[in-house]
Short mmCIF file of all heavy atoms in Angstrom, two decimals:
data_model
loop_
_atom_site.label_atom_id
_atom_site.label_comp_id
_atom_site.label_asym_id
_atom_site.label_seq_id
_atom_site.Cartn_x
_atom_site.Cartn_y
_atom_site.Cartn_z
N LEU M 45 -28.22 3.54 9.45
CA LEU M 45 -27.34 2.71 10.27
C LEU M 45 -26.60 3.48 11.36
O LEU M 45 -26.28 2.93 12.40
CB LEU M 45 -26.32 1.99 9.38
CG LEU M 45 -26.90 1.12 8.26
CD1 LEU M 45 -25.78 0.43 7.51
CD2 LEU M 45 -27.88 0.10 8.81
N THR M 46 -26.27 4.72 11.10
CA THR M 46 -25.51 5.49 12.09
C THR M 46 -25.91 6.95 12.03
O THR M 46 -26.53 7.39 11.06
CB THR M 46 -23.99 5.32 11.85
OG1 THR M 46 -23.28 5.90 12.95
CG2 THR M 46 -23.54 5.98 10.56
N GLY M 47 -25.55 7.69 13.07
CA GLY M 47 -25.91 9.10 13.12
C GLY M 47 -25.17 9.80 14.24
O GLY M 47 -24.63 9.16 15.15
N PRO M 48 -25.13 11.12 14.23
CA PRO M 48 -24.38 11.87 15.24
C PRO M 48 -24.94 11.72 16.64
O PRO M 48 -24.21 11.87 17.62
CB PRO M 48 -24.49 13.32 14.76
CG PRO M 48 -25.69 13.35 13.87
CD PRO M 48 -25.76 12.00 13.23
N PHE M 49 -26.23 11.38 16.77
CA PHE M 49 -26.83 11.21 18.09
C PHE M 49 -27.07 9.73 18.40
O PHE M 49 -28.04 9.37 19.07
CB PHE M 49 -28.10 12.04 18.20
CG PHE M 49 -27.86 13.52 18.19
CD1 PHE M 49 -28.77 14.39 17.63
CD2 PHE M 49 -26.69 14.06 18.73
CE1 PHE M 49 -28.54 15.76 17.61
CE2 PHE M 49 -26.45 15.42 18.71
CZ PHE M 49 -27.38 16.28 18.15
N GLY M 50 -26.16 8.88 17.91
CA GLY M 50 -26.08 7.48 18.30
C GLY M 50 -24.87 7.30 19.20
O GLY M 50 -24.47 8.22 19.93
N GLY M 51 -24.28 6.10 19.16
CA GLY M 51 -23.12 5.83 19.99
C GLY M 51 -22.12 4.94 19.27
O GLY M 51 -22.45 4.33 18.24
N GLY M 52 -20.91 4.86 19.78
CA GLY M 52 -19.90 4.04 19.13
C GLY M 52 -18.71 3.75 20.01
O GLY M 52 -18.61 4.24 21.14
N VAL M 53 -17.82 2.95 19.45
CA VAL M 53 -16.57 2.58 20.13
C VAL M 53 -15.46 2.53 19.08
O VAL M 53 -15.66 1.98 17.99
CB VAL M 53 -16.69 1.21 20.83
CG1 VAL M 53 -15.35 0.81 21.45
CG2 VAL M 53 -17.78 1.24 21.89
N LEU M 54 -14.31 3.09 19.42
CA LEU M 54 -13.14 3.05 18.54
C LEU M 54 -12.00 2.31 19.23
O LEU M 54 -11.68 2.59 20.39
CB LEU M 54 -12.69 4.47 18.18
CG LEU M 54 -11.45 4.61 17.29
CD1 LEU M 54 -11.59 5.81 16.35
CD2 LEU M 54 -10.16 4.77 18.11
N LEU M 55 -11.42 1.36 18.52
CA LEU M 55 -10.20 0.69 18.94
C LEU M 55 -9.09 1.19 18.03
O LEU M 55 -9.20 1.07 16.80
CB LEU M 55 -10.36 -0.83 18.83
CG LEU M 55 -9.13 -1.70 19.07
CD1 LEU M 55 -8.52 -1.48 20.44
CD2 LEU M 55 -9.47 -3.17 18.86
N GLY M 56 -8.04 1.77 18.60
CA GLY M 56 -7.01 2.38 17.79
C GLY M 56 -5.60 1.98 18.18
O GLY M 56 -5.34 1.54 19.31
N VAL M 57 -4.71 2.12 17.21
CA VAL M 57 -3.27 1.98 17.44
C VAL M 57 -2.61 3.19 16.80
O VAL M 57 -2.91 3.54 15.66
CB VAL M 57 -2.72 0.68 16.79
CG1 VAL M 57 -1.20 0.67 16.84
CG2 VAL M 57 -3.28 -0.55 17.48
N GLU M 58 -1.73 3.84 17.55
CA GLU M 58 -1.02 5.01 17.05
C GLU M 58 0.47 4.70 16.94
O GLU M 58 1.10 4.30 17.92
CB GLU M 58 -1.24 6.20 17.99
CG GLU M 58 -0.77 7.52 17.41
CD GLU M 58 -1.22 8.70 18.28
OE1 GLU M 58 -1.09 8.61 19.50
OE2 GLU M 58 -1.72 9.68 17.71
N ASN M 59 0.99 4.83 15.71
CA ASN M 59 2.43 4.63 15.46
C ASN M 59 2.93 3.29 16.00
O ASN M 59 3.97 3.22 16.67
CB ASN M 59 3.24 5.78 16.07
CG ASN M 59 2.89 7.11 15.46
OD1 ASN M 59 2.61 7.20 14.27
ND2 ASN M 59 2.86 8.15 16.28
N ASN M 60 2.19 2.23 15.70
CA ASN M 60 2.58 0.86 16.08
C ASN M 60 2.70 0.65 17.59
O ASN M 60 3.38 -0.27 18.04
CB ASN M 60 3.91 0.49 15.41
CG ASN M 60 3.80 0.43 13.91
OD1 ASN M 60 2.98 -0.31 13.37
ND2 ASN M 60 4.61 1.22 13.21
N SER M 61 2.04 1.48 18.39
CA SER M 61 2.13 1.36 19.85
C SER M 61 0.99 0.48 20.37
O SER M 61 0.34 -0.23 19.61
CB SER M 61 2.10 2.74 20.50
OG SER M 61 0.92 3.42 20.16
N LYS M 62 0.75 0.53 21.66
CA LYS M 62 -0.23 -0.34 22.30
C LYS M 62 -1.66 0.11 21.95
O LYS M 62 -1.97 1.30 21.97
CB LYS M 62 -0.03 -0.29 23.82
CG LYS M 62 -0.79 -1.34 24.58
CD LYS M 62 -0.42 -1.30 26.06
CE LYS M 62 -1.18 -2.36 26.84
NZ LYS M 62 -0.83 -2.32 28.29
N PRO M 63 -2.57 -0.83 21.65
CA PRO M 63 -3.95 -0.47 21.32
C PRO M 63 -4.68 0.20 22.48
O PRO M 63 -4.39 -0.06 23.66
CB PRO M 63 -4.60 -1.82 20.98
CG PRO M 63 -3.48 -2.72 20.61
CD PRO M 63 -2.33 -2.29 21.47
N PHE M 64 -5.64 1.05 22.14
CA PHE M 64 -6.46 1.74 23.14
C PHE M 64 -7.89 1.84 22.63
O PHE M 64 -8.16 1.73 21.43
CB PHE M 64 -5.91 3.13 23.46
CG PHE M 64 -5.65 3.98 22.24
CD1 PHE M 64 -6.67 4.67 21.61
CD2 PHE M 64 -4.36 4.07 21.70
CE1 PHE M 64 -6.44 5.44 20.48
CE2 PHE M 64 -4.11 4.83 20.57
CZ PHE M 64 -5.15 5.51 19.95
N ILE M 65 -8.79 2.06 23.56
CA ILE M 65 -10.23 2.16 23.27
C ILE M 65 -10.73 3.57 23.60
O ILE M 65 -10.38 4.13 24.64
CB ILE M 65 -11.03 1.15 24.12
CG1 ILE M 65 -10.80 -0.28 23.63
CG2 ILE M 65 -12.52 1.49 24.15
CD1 ILE M 65 -11.64 -0.73 22.46
N TYR M 66 -11.55 4.12 22.70
CA TYR M 66 -12.38 5.28 23.04
C TYR M 66 -13.83 4.79 23.06
O TYR M 66 -14.36 4.33 22.04
CB TYR M 66 -12.22 6.41 22.04
CG TYR M 66 -11.03 7.28 22.31
CD1 TYR M 66 -9.79 6.99 21.74
CD2 TYR M 66 -11.12 8.39 23.15
CE1 TYR M 66 -8.68 7.78 22.00
CE2 TYR M 66 -10.02 9.19 23.42
CZ TYR M 66 -8.80 8.88 22.84
OH TYR M 66 -7.70 9.66 23.10
N ASP M 67 -14.45 4.88 24.23
CA ASP M 67 -15.83 4.45 24.41
C ASP M 67 -16.72 5.68 24.43
O ASP M 67 -16.69 6.48 25.38
CB ASP M 67 -15.94 3.68 25.73
CG ASP M 67 -17.38 3.34 26.13
OD1 ASP M 67 -18.31 3.66 25.37
OD2 ASP M 67 -17.56 2.75 27.21
N PHE M 68 -17.50 5.84 23.37
CA PHE M 68 -18.49 6.93 23.33
C PHE M 68 -19.87 6.36 23.01
O PHE M 68 -20.65 6.93 22.25
CB PHE M 68 -18.08 8.04 22.35
CG PHE M 68 -17.55 7.56 21.02
CD1 PHE M 68 -18.38 7.45 19.92
CD2 PHE M 68 -16.21 7.23 20.87
CE1 PHE M 68 -17.91 7.02 18.70
CE2 PHE M 68 -15.71 6.80 19.65
CZ PHE M 68 -16.56 6.70 18.56
N PHE M 69 -20.12 5.20 23.63
CA PHE M 69 -21.43 4.59 23.47
C PHE M 69 -22.45 5.37 24.30
O PHE M 69 -22.11 6.27 25.06
CB PHE M 69 -21.40 3.11 23.87
CG PHE M 69 -22.53 2.33 23.28
CD1 PHE M 69 -22.60 2.15 21.91
CD2 PHE M 69 -23.52 1.79 24.08
CE1 PHE M 69 -23.66 1.44 21.35
CE2 PHE M 69 -24.58 1.09 23.53
CZ PHE M 69 -24.65 0.91 22.16
N VAL M 70 -23.73 4.99 24.16
CA VAL M 70 -24.82 5.74 24.79
C VAL M 70 -24.96 5.38 26.26
O VAL M 70 -24.62 4.28 26.69
CB VAL M 70 -26.16 5.49 24.05
CG1 VAL M 70 -26.07 5.94 22.61
CG2 VAL M 70 -26.56 4.01 24.12
N ASP M 71 -25.49 6.33 27.02
CA ASP M 71 -25.82 6.14 28.43
C ASP M 71 -27.33 6.03 28.60
O ASP M 71 -28.10 6.62 27.82
CB ASP M 71 -25.39 7.35 29.27
CG ASP M 71 -23.90 7.39 29.53
OD1 ASP M 71 -23.22 6.37 29.32
OD2 ASP M 71 -23.41 8.46 29.94
N CYS M 72 -27.76 5.31 29.64
CA CYS M 72 -29.14 5.48 30.06
C CYS M 72 -29.22 6.81 30.82
O CYS M 72 -28.23 7.29 31.36
CB CYS M 72 -29.59 4.32 30.94
SG CYS M 72 -28.70 4.16 32.49
N PRO M 73 -30.37 7.46 30.82
CA PRO M 73 -30.51 8.75 31.48
C PRO M 73 -30.61 8.63 33.00
O PRO M 73 -30.70 7.53 33.54
CB PRO M 73 -31.80 9.32 30.88
CG PRO M 73 -32.57 8.14 30.45
CD PRO M 73 -31.59 7.06 30.10
N TYR M 74 -30.59 9.77 33.66
CA TYR M 74 -30.72 9.77 35.12
C TYR M 74 -32.10 9.32 35.57
O TYR M 74 -32.24 8.58 36.54
CB TYR M 74 -30.48 11.19 35.66
CG TYR M 74 -29.04 11.60 35.77
CD1 TYR M 74 -28.55 12.66 35.02
CD2 TYR M 74 -28.16 10.93 36.62
CE1 TYR M 74 -27.22 13.04 35.12
CE2 TYR M 74 -26.83 11.32 36.72
CZ TYR M 74 -26.36 12.37 35.96
OH TYR M 74 -25.05 12.74 36.06
N ASN M 75 -33.12 9.77 34.84
CA ASN M 75 -34.49 9.59 35.34
C ASN M 75 -35.39 8.88 34.34
O ASN M 75 -35.12 8.87 33.13
CB ASN M 75 -35.10 10.96 35.67
CG ASN M 75 -34.30 11.70 36.73
OD1 ASN M 75 -34.05 11.15 37.80
ND2 ASN M 75 -33.90 12.93 36.43
N TYR M 76 -36.46 8.31 34.84
CA TYR M 76 -37.48 7.69 34.02
C TYR M 76 -38.72 8.57 34.00
O TYR M 76 -39.19 9.02 35.04
CB TYR M 76 -37.83 6.30 34.57
CG TYR M 76 -39.08 5.70 33.97
CD1 TYR M 76 -39.11 5.34 32.63
CD2 TYR M 76 -40.23 5.50 34.74
CE1 TYR M 76 -40.26 4.79 32.07
CE2 TYR M 76 -41.38 4.96 34.19
CZ TYR M 76 -41.39 4.60 32.85
OH TYR M 76 -42.51 4.07 32.30
N ASN M 77 -39.25 8.82 32.81
CA ASN M 77 -40.45 9.62 32.65
C ASN M 77 -41.62 8.70 32.30
O ASN M 77 -41.65 8.13 31.20
CB ASN M 77 -40.23 10.65 31.53
CG ASN M 77 -41.50 11.40 31.17
OD1 ASN M 77 -42.48 11.39 31.91
ND2 ASN M 77 -41.48 12.05 30.01
N PRO M 78 -42.57 8.51 33.18
CA PRO M 78 -43.68 7.59 32.90
C PRO M 78 -44.54 8.02 31.72
O PRO M 78 -45.30 7.21 31.18
CB PRO M 78 -44.49 7.59 34.21
CG PRO M 78 -44.09 8.83 34.92
CD PRO M 78 -42.68 9.12 34.52
#
Side-chain angles (χ1 to χ4, degrees):
L45 304 182
T46 189
F49 292 147
V53 177
L54 178 145
L55 173 58
V57 171
E58 191 170 45
N59 299 323
N60 295 303
S61 59
K62 192 174 180 181
F64 52 81
I65 289 277
Y66 277 91
D67 172 2
F68 44 95
F69 201 66
V70 299
D71 284 345
C72 63
Y74 281 117
N75 300 307
Y76 167 67
N77 172 15

